[in-house]
Amino acid sequence: MSPTVALLDYGSGNIRSAYRALEHVGADVEITKDPQICLNADGLLVPGVGAFAACMRGLREVHGPRIIGQRLAGERPVLGICVGMQVLFEHGVEHDEAADGCGEWPGTVERLQARVLPHMGWNTVQQPDSPMFAELSDDERFYFVHSYGVRTWQLDGTDFAAPPRVAWSEHDGDRFVAAVDNGALWATQFHPEKSGAAGSQLLRNWINTL
């Protein structure tokens, strides 16, 4: 029986491409905003495209922070993609508009300090030792489209059962968080659903944890 994945529909995101990519790697996918379906599925995928504050408004309208928090309290897998990763952090500052995120990780999403923005196209990441990157070589390239990201990772005073495993990437001399494996919570700044065979393998790795 295929694992079930709820693809959270909150009015912002790469819904259709993510749907097809998940189906391709063997998941039974449902696009939904129904909290009960999101809580009961084997996995929850949180997509995101656009501005941080707007995504948070949409997420709150469908009780997204509560759904994410409840799943993680029960160690139920969640995957965030692009802005769906950014909203997992404490804060975001975009176009001079500050907003609170879901607060699963400390840190602030801010404009990248690069001469050329957006960061658009294929890039490598510094991969941690993580099941997220199983079967993937260190020189694999993933597809990015963003101008904002988390540029510093600070865990001082934060209580985690195991330290999150963080992948980094660099654009035009500026370093930023490219992906995080934090047990039941995975997230990528890049778009695995647009990253060809490498992205499919990463999604397959996630499906294998469900």
Side-chain angles (χ1 to χ4, degrees):
M1 186 174 178
S2 299
T4 59
V5 174
L7 182 47
L8 184 58
D9 182 7
Y10 63 100
S12 174
N14 40 314
I15 294 287
R16 290 296 167 186
S17 56
Y19 180 93
R20 290 192 295 269
L22 287 166
E23 276 203 325
H24 177 70
V25 297
D28 180 7
V29 190
E30 182 170 359
I31 298 173
T32 183
K33 60 182 69 174
D34 183 289
Q36 206 57 49
I37 294 174
C38 291
L39 288 170
N40 291 340
D42 296 322
L44 174 70
L45 190 143
V46 182
V49 172
F52 185 101
C55 285
M56 280 304 304
R57 284 193 291 270
L59 202 58
R60 289 193 181 98
E61 286 177 4
V62 299
H63 310 290
R66 178 177 63 82
I67 292 167
I68 293 168
Q70 283 187 235
R71 286 191 62 91
L72 295 176
E75 299 186 353
R76 305 290 307 287
V78 176
L79 172 63
I81 291 176
C82 196
V83 184
M85 167 179 159
Q86 294 179 359
V87 295
L88 298 169
F89 287 86
E90 284 181 323
H91 307 291
V93 181
E94 191 165 346
H95 306 305
D96 297 322
E97 183 177 7
D100 290 334
C102 294
E104 296 297 336
W105 296 315
T108 298
V109 178
E110 59 185 338
R111 187 175 176 85
L112 299 181
Q113 299 299 300
R115 294 167 298 173
V116 178
L117 291 174
H119 172 214
M120 181 182 298
W122 298 82
N123 205 346
T124 57
V125 303
Q126 296 173 333
Q127 301 175 17
D129 181 13
S130 160
M132 178 185 285
F133 294 99
E135 307 299 327
L136 290 167
S137 65
D138 291 340
D139 60 357
E140 295 283 4
R141 292 180 176 272
F142 300 90
Y143 190 78
F144 291 83
V145 183
H146 65 120
S147 297
Y148 293 77
V150 175
R151 300 174 56 244
T152 59
W153 178 264
Q154 296 177 330
L155 292 179
D156 293 346
T158 306
D159 183 22
F160 285 106
R165 290 173 278 198
V166 182
W168 294 86
S169 191
E170 186 175 299
H171 169 62
D172 196 25
D174 198 20
R175 190 168 177 254
F176 60 89
V177 174
V180 183
D181 165 7
N182 188 191
L185 181 57
W186 287 17
T188 67
Q189 177 63 68
F190 53 82
H191 288 272
E193 79 284 6
K194 297 181 180 179
S195 295
S200 292
Q201 182 60 52
L202 187 146
L203 290 175
R204 190 174 293 110
N205 292 340
W206 183 61
I207 293 298
N208 288 341
T209 70
L210 305 184

